[in-house]
Amino acid sequence: MSYSDKVIDHYNNPRNVGSMDKKDTDVGTGLVGAPECGDVMKLQIKVNPQTNVIEDAKFKTFGCGSAIASSSLATEWVKGKTIDQALEIKNTEIVKELALPPVKIHCSVLAEDAIRAAIGDWKKKQETANPAEVRAAQ
Amino acid sequence: MPGQSPAQSSTDVTPSCWSCGTMRAVHFCSSCGKVQPPVPVDYFTFFGFPRKLNLDTAALEKEFYALSRRLHPDGFGQADDRERAWSLEQSSMLNDAYRTLKDPIKRTEYLLRLEGVELEEQSKQATEKARATGELKKQVVPPDLLEEVFELNMHLEELRAQKTLGEDDPALLEEIGKAKLSLEEKFDALFNELKIEWNHWDQAVDSGTGDDRRKVLDTMLDVLNRRNYVRNLVRDVNEAMEG
C-alpha cells in the first residue's frame, strides 16, 4: 500500500511530538488505542482557562504511518481552536486531508477519539478544580 | 465461499440426493451413500454440531478422520468426474472447517463473523454517537491497560535506540522483562474470561433472547480485542529484545 504525500510528510516531519505535565490543571490528556492494529495514541492539549482556547497540543503515537499522521494533523488542527470548535473535528475530515485509504480509516477514528478524550479529561479537571463554580452553575 | 456465508442452517440444504432422490446428509446421501455436491453451510452445520462454543473436540476429531477417509481420492477412482470433483471440494471444505473449529480462538472469531459482528464498523458507529451526543466514547481497551501499553512502548523505543548505539542498560531490560511477564499473565487470564463467555453463549443459544445473544457476542468481541492487543504487544517486546 502506498501512502499519500501528506501522510509521508507528517510521518517524516511530525508536528508537535512530545508531552506535557498531565497533572497540570490546564492540561487535558487523551490516551486511546485501536485493538485492530495495536496502535496507541496519546494526545495532550493545554487550554487557556479564561478563553477556553487550546494554546498548545502535543502527541506521541506508537503505530503505523497513518496513525502518526492522523494524530500529528489533529494537534495542528486543534491549536488555536476553542474547546467547542475542536469538538467539531470529524474523522472524515482527517481522512480527506490525508487521503487515507479505507483500511486506514480507523486511524482517523482514533485521532478523533484522542481529541475527545483529551477534552473530556480537561473538562473533568475543571470540575474538580473549581467545584464552587460547578455548584453555582447547577 | 462455502462455509463463509452467514446464517445458513441445515434446513436450507437441498434435501434430496442427486442419485437416488431420497433424503441426503451434507456430505453423503444417508440412503444410497453417494457423495453429494457441496452446499454453502456454515462449519458447525457441516459437522452436524449446534452453533455453540463448548465443542466436543474429541467428537470433532473423530468425525473429521471418518469423513477424511470417506472423501479420500482413492475411494473415487471408479466414480464419474462429477463425483470426483465433489469429493475434492467436500474434502477442502472439511479441512477448512476442521482447522477453524478445532482452534478455540478461531472458532470464536468464526462465530462472531457468522453472527455478523464487525469490529471496525462498531468502533466507527460509537465515535459517531459520541460526536452526536457529546458523551465520551467507551474505549475498547481499558485505560489501565492503555497506560501499560504506552509505558512499555516508551521503554521499547528506548531499548531500540540503545541497541543502535551499542549500549546496554540492565535496569531497562529488567523493566521490560517485568512488563512482559505481566502481559503474559493477562493473556492467559483473557482466555479464561473468553471461556466463561462461551458458557454464556451456549446458554443463550438454548434459552436466551436475541438481546442476550447480542450482549454475549459484544463481550466476546471485547475480550478478543484485548487479547489481540496484548498478543501484539508481547510480539513487539520479543522482537525488540531479540533484534
Side-chain angles (χ1 to χ4, degrees):
Chain A
M1 188 197 61
S2 63
Y3 285 122
S4 72
D5 290 346
K6 278 185 179 152
V7 170
I8 290 166
D9 180 36
H10 276 279
Y11 182 75
N12 287 331
N13 312 291
R15 328 307 195 246
N16 310 310
V17 173
S19 73
M20 302 183 216
D21 179 9
K22 66 174 180 184
K23 294 201 185 78
D24 187 337
T25 42
D26 294 341
V27 170
T29 303
L31 183 61
V32 293
E36 306 94 319
C37 51
D39 289 359
V40 54
M41 186 180 283
K42 182 156 117 181
L43 194 146
Q44 293 183 298
I45 51 170
K46 192 176 174 67
V47 185
N48 182 325
Q50 264 80 49
T51 58
N52 277 3
V53 167
I54 298 171
E55 293 186 332
D56 199 9
K58 296 272 180 218
F59 85 96
K60 176 80 191 168
T61 293
F62 297 102
C64 66
S66 301
I68 290 168
S70 295
S71 37
S72 170
L73 180 68
T75 56
E76 273 197 322
W77 277 0
V78 296
K79 266 209 235 181
K81 283 197 167 73
T82 65
I83 289 294
D84 288 339
Q85 287 167 339
L87 282 171
E88 279 167 22
I89 296 172
K90 293 187 181 72
N91 80 291
T92 44
E93 293 164 338
I94 296 171
V95 171
K96 210 169 142 201
E97 173 69 19
L98 296 175
L100 294 179
V103 292
K104 291 295 179 181
I105 286 174
H106 66 267
C107 299
S108 69
V109 172
L110 203 58
E112 185 186 331
D113 288 349
I115 296 173
R116 285 173 190 286
I119 292 175
D121 181 55
W122 176 81
K123 280 187 174 166
K124 218 164 71 189
K125 275 185 181 170
Q126 304 316 300
E127 283 165 20
T128 11
N130 306 304
E133 278 175 37
V134 177
R135 267 202 301 277
Q138 277 166 352
Chain B
M1 200 193 316
Q4 297 252 325
S5 56
Q8 294 261 15
S9 71
S10 48
T11 50
D12 299 322
V13 176
T14 320
S16 55
C17 169
W18 60 272
S19 177
C20 70
T22 59
M23 288 290 286
R24 52 165 286 200
V26 175
H27 332 91
F28 295 95
C29 174
S30 45
S31 175
C32 70
K34 287 273 190 191
V35 68
Q36 300 296 310
V39 280
V41 291
D42 69 75
Y43 293 158
F44 292 96
T45 309
F46 186 85
F47 275 107
F49 290 133
R51 204 179 275 190
K52 289 185 179 177
L53 289 168
N54 283 296
L55 195 128
D56 182 349
T57 42
L60 174 74
E61 194 165 317
K62 213 174 134 215
E63 185 66 14
F64 169 71
Y65 285 119
L67 280 170
S68 293
R69 267 195 305 275
R70 283 189 76 183
L71 289 167
H72 196 276
D74 288 355
F76 293 87
Q78 309 298 315
D80 67 28
D81 287 350
R82 270 189 322 177
E83 284 177 78
R84 259 210 303 279
W86 290 337
S87 71
L88 272 178
E89 284 170 43
Q90 290 270 21
S91 247
S92 127
M93 187 160 166
L94 173 71
N95 284 313
D96 290 344
Y98 176 64
R99 268 199 296 269
T100 305
L101 294 189
K102 184 180 64 167
D103 182 290
I105 299 299
K106 282 193 188 138
R107 187 194 312 150
T108 313
E109 287 173 340
Y110 178 70
L111 179 91
L112 288 177
R113 256 205 327 274
L114 274 183
E115 297 290 334
V117 177
E118 298 281 349
L119 163 80
E120 203 165 312
E121 199 41 47
Q122 284 199 342
S123 176
K124 230 165 47 194
Q125 279 170 6
T127 296
E128 275 156 19
K129 194 175 154 224
R131 192 191 297 145
T133 61
E135 281 164 21
L136 270 190
K137 173 180 169 185
K138 181 186 161 282
Q139 287 294 315
V140 178
V141 188
D144 56 331
L145 178 56
L146 273 177
E147 292 280 353
E148 213 175 315
V149 171
F150 193 83
E151 278 301 306
L152 183 56
N153 269 302
M154 291 294 269
H155 287 324
L156 289 179
E157 196 173 68
E158 211 179 317
L159 180 70
R160 287 188 201 105
Q162 282 183 359
K163 287 214 164 166
T164 337
L165 295 170
E167 286 170 6
D168 193 23
D169 179 358
L172 179 65
L173 277 176
E174 201 191 314
E175 195 72 36
I176 294 173
K178 257 193 265 173
K180 189 185 150 192
L181 218 63
S182 142
L183 283 174
E184 282 167 344
E185 276 167 23
K186 273 205 180 70
F187 190 68
D188 294 340
L190 283 165
F191 187 50
N192 291 327
E193 239 183 274
L194 190 64
K195 284 201 275 198
I196 293 170
E197 291 312 315
W198 287 0
N199 296 337
H200 291 160
W201 169 258
D202 292 357
Q203 282 159 17
V205 167
D206 283 334
S207 56
T209 63
D211 271 357
D212 292 338
R213 286 195 286 274
R214 177 57 44 184
K215 237 166 57 196
V216 184
L217 290 172
D218 285 346
T219 312
M220 283 197 286
L221 180 68
D222 186 52
V223 176
L224 276 180
N225 279 334
R226 274 182 285 152
R227 191 176 175 279
N228 284 347
Y229 207 60
V230 172
R231 186 200 55 205
N232 290 345
L233 205 61
V234 171
R235 186 201 56 207
D236 290 349
V237 173
N238 288 335
E239 276 174 13
M241 286 176 101
E242 285 158 16

